[in-house]
Amino acid sequence: MGELVLSNRASAATHTETSDEVTQYLTFAVSDERLAMSIDAVKEIIETPAVTRVPMTPDYIRGVINLRGSVVPVIDLGARLGRGPIILTKRSCIVLVEVHVGDEAHVLGMLVDEVKNILEIAAEDIKPPPEFGSEIRTDFIEAMGRVDDVFVIILSVDHVLSMQELAALRRLSQETASGGSDGES
């Protein structure tokens, strides 16, 4: 299956613009659920390489990979979303995305069951995320996209992890790249 590289091009549409504009979304499966994210966040899609587990990390952190000499943390999106860890198959892959921590951008891998396709969703078919009350976290949902009378959850890549979790991943990447930890937990 080789690498599928997607150019990170600027989107011509936003969720608040006129209804005749469309935005492209990469769709993928996690535990038989169809999810999506803006194509603008996607750097590339790669086959699942050897992932090095890192001790004392949460279950949803699958480990790190070597991507052309860079240490890239890999999040098991199934475990992160409470769907259980992803069982690797020949269709499993890692979607490399750019996430932002403060003013810094970092590449993060998200392990998914399989990538489906790229959808164009019209602005009028993008709805705000549902509100479930203060007890249920929905900040990772950017919007709901209606496709053929079915809703697809559009993830907010920068919010799939909290800012504290993203900062911890940044430290993990730096420590792993430098060959160890300074003893902090």
Side-chain angles (χ1 to χ4, degrees):
M1 171 172 141
E3 292 182 6
L4 170 63
V5 178
L6 302 171
S7 64
N8 194 3
R9 57 196 173 278
S11 174
T14 65
H15 302 308
T16 58
E17 292 179 355
T18 61
S19 63
D20 61 339
E21 296 193 28
V22 296
T23 303
Q24 291 186 326
Y25 295 92
L26 176 72
T27 63
F28 49 92
V30 173
S31 300
D32 296 324
E33 188 170 2
R34 190 173 179 191
L35 303 170
M37 70 177 67
S38 171
I39 197 74
D40 293 338
V42 178
K43 302 290 279 177
E44 63 185 291
I45 300 165
I46 60 173
E47 289 181 302
T48 307
V51 178
T52 303
R53 285 287 299 157
V54 178
M56 299 176 56
T57 56
D59 290 341
Y60 61 84
I61 298 178
R62 193 69 170 233
V64 295
I65 59 170
N66 177 350
L67 182 69
R68 296 181 284 281
S70 296
V71 177
V72 176
V74 176
I75 303 304
D76 184 321
L77 201 53
R80 180 65 187 127
L81 297 176
R83 304 288 191 256
I86 289 181
I87 297 168
L88 294 179
T89 68
K90 58 184 172 180
R91 292 183 180 257
S92 301
C93 56
I94 295 176
V95 178
L96 296 169
V97 297
E98 189 171 84
V99 295
H100 300 275
V101 181
D103 294 336
E104 296 181 31
H106 299 278
V107 175
L108 174 75
M110 296 195 318
L111 179 64
V112 300
D113 286 315
E114 71 178 299
V115 168
K116 295 290 193 178
N117 56 7
I118 296 174
L119 288 178
E120 290 187 345
I121 304 176
E124 73 251 14
D125 290 328
I126 303 293
K127 306 298 178 195
E131 293 188 27
F132 293 107
S134 62
E135 296 298 315
I136 297 177
R137 186 176 165 206
T138 60
D139 59 322
F140 64 92
I141 301 175
E142 180 177 309
M144 304 295 290
R146 191 180 70 205
V147 179
D148 299 327
D149 294 326
V150 176
F151 279 109
V152 175
I153 297 171
I154 300 171
L155 297 178
S156 172
V157 175
D158 288 339
H159 291 99
V160 169
L161 298 173
S162 70
M163 293 307 277
Q164 294 85 2
E165 292 164 329
L166 289 171
L169 280 176
R170 186 184 75 227
R171 284 193 306 275
L172 172 68
S173 293
Q174 292 168 343
E175 290 171 1
T176 305
S178 67
S181 158
D182 60 6
E184 293 181 12
S185 321

